[in-house]
Amino acid sequence: MARVVILGAGVAGHTAALHLRRMIGREHTITVVSPNSQWNWIPSNIWVGVGVMSKKDVVFPLAPIYRRKGIDFRQAKAVAVRPEGDETDPTGAVDIVYTDPARKDQQERLRYDYLVNATGPKLRFEATEGLGPHGGNSVSVCTADHAVEASAALRASIERMKRGERQTLIVGTGHGTCTCEGAAFEYTFNVDHELKEAGVRDKAELIYLTNEAQLGDFGVDGMLFSQRGYQQSSRMWTESLFTERGVHSILGAHVHKVDPGVVHYETLDGEMHEQPFDFAMLLPPFGGVDLKAYDRAGNDISETMFNPAGFMKVDADYTPKPYEEWRAEDWPETYEVPGRPNVFAVGIAFAPPHQISRPQKTRNGTMIAPAPPRTGMPSGIMGKTVAMTIRDRINGQPAAVHKASLAKIGAACVASAGTGMREGSAAAMSMFPVVPDYQRYPGSGGRDFKGTRGDIGLFGHWVKYSLHHLFIYKAKALPGWQYIPE
Amino acid sequence: MSEPAKTSPVITAYKDAPVPTKASLRWRRNIPLQLVKFAEFNGRLAMMVLKGHDDH
Ligand SMILES: Cc1cc2nc3c(=O)[nH]c(=O)nc-3n(C[C@H](O)[C@H](O)[C@H](O)COP(=O)(O)OP(=O)(O)OC[C@H]3O[C@@H](n4cnc5c(N)ncnc54)[C@H](O)[C@@H]3O)c2cc1C
């Protein structure tokens, strides 16, 4: 009998748990630990944030699904990993603290034979003074509750425009090291659409403020597309969209501080600027969640298992080297923690070996370096891949390993730019692979033209809308869920 | 923090960007063409899923 413990019930952890449950016999236990009682389809928070969907459209309770599937669910947060066990028992263990109202703050040590860390990001609003909805001066769409608040603030701003007031709306990244620029981009164009729908677009200055050095970078060093016999860059493509829609932009920015109604930021040239605003949705930088690691004697070994940002180190090449020397092969394939063949980290929780976009420092020493995105599709694939490895190892093949490197996986990013089955629109991008491999695909931006494309149109909205329904269906583990790809 | 700079870094338009014509904007909402693009995009996604996993 094997005990599998999965930390986190987001895209990566939930996918791993559901697949593993159908792959291994009931004599083996699967325990999912997650502090939230609900599952959230995070990409659709964008629509909650502009008021076209409500919170209940994007979340559902996890416990009934896990009960139906025979997965043990603990509504709790993991606080420590003990890969060598403790003085009483050498079996690996995790310390959890319940957030379940019925057992609130109770602690427990769970033993595991296999551990999957899929704890996702810690939203580090505190990295920028005044950032974020928790006592700060900007809103966010990172959680469904944040998005509900963002929607109310946007509506209030629209009401003022209807009364004839002009408003400045800023959407973007709240720190120089943010990731997920695609989400900020998407929210920008949904706001643009809502302003038009409300008949107040002419009353608004809409500004996209980003840490990307140029539009279309998206934290993946941009993309090259082959279209109508020409190579086109994602930069040109994105600049076209911004110009067409009249959306303004601030590039290469690190936000130092958000005061009520004013963003203070520095640009790549080292100049300091202030931008007044009436509404600001700024994403926080991500870090790993607060997890510690201890050896058998109880000594803190967190530094050996996590990078300084708190992400778990896996089978990547973390040797520091200049940007020009970074290679696709540096990226992890198995997500196994070195020296600990029964511990894995997937999704946003694993430590990337380096940025994909060129990191830059201003003359004042401020880092402006978009972090690599680890989006939904690759997170799901990583979760399933690790589930397959664990399945084989449980079934008596201790050396079995399945691989899914971000330098070999593709990703799709469908950035909605307005809803409606006839008048909606979205910028749909696909890239293959996510991490460019300049050796394998020279002359095409490190990617395969066959899988790398950008297009704008109504079809993109249909894709986005169908993904919303498909993924919620799949996450609910309804009949045939396993045939829906990650 | 030093004094804020006088020049604004806000870019209001990219003058070299290829802006779509009215016809292009109409094609972006043309149902038959969009259905074809929908199928193409899903095909690319399927290709990625197949190539992305080492096996099942
Ligand atoms: C606004 C927004 C829009 C996005 N849009 C898209 C999109 O259109 N397409 C796309 O592909 N991706 C999108 N993404 C990215 C996508 O949401 C992530 O790639 C994906 O959620 C990552 O999966 P994950 O499992 O690593 O993390 P998450 O999905 O965040 O899951 C982490 C899980 O860990 C749990 N957890 C946290 N702390 C602990 C702890 N201490 N112990 C145990 N469990 C813990 C959390 O409660 C959660 O259940 C978007 C992200 C944002 C913020």
Side-chain angles (χ1 to χ4, degrees):
Chain A
M1 188 206 101
R3 292 159 295 183
V4 182
V5 174
I6 297 173
L7 308 179
V11 176
H14 189 61
T15 306
L18 290 182
H19 278 296
L20 199 57
R21 185 67 291 172
R22 73 178 176 86
M23 290 173 180
I24 58 173
R26 292 291 165 127
E27 66 278 21
H28 308 294
T29 63
I30 299 174
T31 303
V32 173
V33 176
S34 184
N36 295 326
S37 61
Q38 296 194 306
W39 193 83
N40 176 206
W41 176 237
I42 297 173
S44 294
N45 288 354
I46 300 285
W47 286 338
V48 177
V50 290
V52 298
M53 274 192 184
S54 66
K55 182 182 167 185
K56 70 170 176 25
D57 297 322
V58 299
V59 299
F60 62 81
L62 282 165
I65 286 139
Y66 287 146
R67 212 176 300 126
R68 174 158 51 84
K69 288 281 150 195
I71 295 170
D72 174 27
F73 176 52
R74 310 295 178 99
Q75 193 193 329
K77 63 174 185 215
V79 291
V81 183
R82 297 177 184 274
E84 299 155 15
D86 53 25
E87 273 152 4
T88 59
D89 184 347
T91 314
V94 225
D95 295 344
I96 65 168
V97 177
Y98 283 90
T99 52
D100 182 343
R103 304 174 71 176
K104 189 138 176 63
D105 295 331
Q106 283 177 30
Q107 296 188 18
E108 193 176 344
R109 186 161 293 175
L110 297 180
R111 299 283 162 183
Y112 64 78
D113 299 301
Y114 294 93
L115 178 71
V116 181
N117 174 11
T119 44
K122 175 178 174 187
L123 306 174
R124 295 184 53 240
F125 290 107
E126 72 282 2
T128 300
E129 193 183 333
L131 181 70
H134 308 290
N137 302 305
S138 57
V139 295
S140 149
V141 288
C142 289
T143 70
D145 286 322
H146 289 173
V148 169
E149 218 177 290
S151 166
L154 178 64
R155 289 293 135 195
S157 188
I158 290 176
E159 282 313 310
R160 286 194 290 274
M161 286 183 252
K162 282 187 175 164
R163 291 197 297 267
E165 282 178 47
R166 283 196 65 79
Q167 297 274 292
T168 301
L169 295 86
I170 305 179
V171 178
T173 53
H175 193 275
T177 63
C178 281
T179 180
C180 249
E181 290 81 6
F185 169 91
E186 186 171 9
Y187 191 66
T188 305
F189 287 97
N190 270 273
V191 169
D192 171 61
H193 183 80
E194 286 310 305
L195 295 175
K196 280 193 196 121
E197 291 284 294
V200 294
R201 185 63 182 89
D202 59 325
K203 291 273 181 293
E205 179 180 20
L206 177 55
I207 304 173
Y208 175 71
L209 180 152
T210 181
N211 58 354
E212 300 153 280
Q214 54 187 40
L215 288 184
D217 178 277
F218 295 114
V220 293
D221 201 23
M223 284 160 270
L224 276 185
F225 309 130
S226 161
Q227 258 151 0
R228 296 195 187 96
Y230 288 90
Q231 281 193 10
Q232 203 191 72
S233 67
S234 54
R235 170 186 180 162
M236 199 167 99
W237 186 75
T238 314
E239 287 178 355
S240 164
L241 183 65
F242 272 69
T243 306
E244 176 215 330
R245 299 282 182 99
V247 176
H248 300 173
S249 47
I250 297 173
L251 307 178
H254 165 77
V255 174
H256 280 284
K257 189 174 168 198
V258 187
D259 276 333
V262 186
V263 172
H264 304 265
Y265 66 96
E266 179 178 352
T267 39
L268 279 167
D269 54 11
E271 296 287 326
M272 302 292 175
H273 305 271
E274 287 176 357
Q275 175 62 53
F277 69 85
D278 300 288
F279 169 92
M281 194 301 285
L282 294 169
L283 297 175
F286 291 173
V289 304
D290 297 322
L291 260 181
K292 292 266 171 212
Y294 298 98
D295 68 8
R296 206 166 167 203
N299 299 312
D300 192 330
I301 53 164
S302 306
E303 269 184 29
T304 66
M305 290 194 75
F306 301 99
N307 75 0
F311 297 115
M312 197 174 241
K313 290 194 252 179
V314 291
D315 63 315
D317 182 351
Y318 295 109
T319 320
K321 45 191 171 185
Y323 181 77
E324 290 69 24
E325 289 173 26
W326 288 343
R327 293 284 175 268
E329 306 84 76
D330 299 340
W331 285 75
E333 294 182 315
T334 66
Y335 304 94
E336 187 179 307
V337 173
R340 311 206 184 273
N342 60 343
V343 183
F344 303 84
V346 288
I348 291 176
F350 86 83
H354 46 68
Q355 284 95 345
I356 303 174
S357 298
R358 183 183 288 275
Q360 302 195 54
K361 227 181 221 174
T362 71
R363 61 166 187 254
N364 309 314
T366 308
M367 270 311 265
I368 302 188
R374 280 141 286 161
T375 54
M377 184 171 167
S379 297
I381 293 178
M382 285 180 234
K384 184 174 179 187
T385 302
V386 162
M388 293 191 295
T389 300
I390 295 175
R391 169 200 63 193
D392 291 351
R393 293 190 184 176
I394 288 177
N395 291 338
Q397 302 171 52
V401 69
H402 293 263
K403 296 177 179 174
S405 161
L406 283 186
K408 292 191 182 133
I409 300 179
C413 174
V414 186
S416 151
T419 51
M421 291 319 265
R422 281 178 160 271
E423 61 288 333
S425 132
M429 289 163 271
S430 60
M431 64 188 104
F432 189 88
V434 178
V435 175
D437 187 335
Y438 297 102
Q439 280 69 41
R440 183 153 179 215
Y441 305 107
S444 56
R447 297 197 178 86
D448 185 346
F449 276 146
K450 280 201 229 79
T452 309
R453 251 188 103 96
D455 208 347
I456 301 173
L458 179 58
F459 84 96
H461 174 71
W462 296 339
V463 173
K464 185 91 191 167
Y465 191 72
S466 34
L467 289 180
H468 167 90
H469 289 288
L470 272 177
F471 282 114
I472 289 183
Y473 184 93
K474 178 178 169 149
K476 286 183 175 169
L478 292 168
W481 69 268
Q482 66 271 37
Y483 303 112
I484 300 173
E486 280 60 55
Chain B
M1 250 181 273
S2 52
E3 272 297 289
K6 300 280 178 300
T7 52
S8 167
V10 180
I11 302 166
T12 53
Y14 294 85
K15 61 180 189 323
D16 296 330
V19 177
T21 58
K22 282 213 171 85
S24 290
L25 292 175
R26 268 199 308 277
W27 282 117
R28 287 184 185 171
R29 287 188 177 178
N30 178 280
I31 305 274
L33 176 70
Q34 296 301 315
L35 280 170
V36 173
K37 286 182 180 276
F38 183 71
E40 274 177 5
F41 193 82
N42 286 318
R44 260 197 310 283
L45 282 189
M47 185 275 280
M48 280 187 214
V49 170
L50 292 176
K51 278 201 185 178
H53 293 272
D54 63 347
D55 55 18
H56 289 264

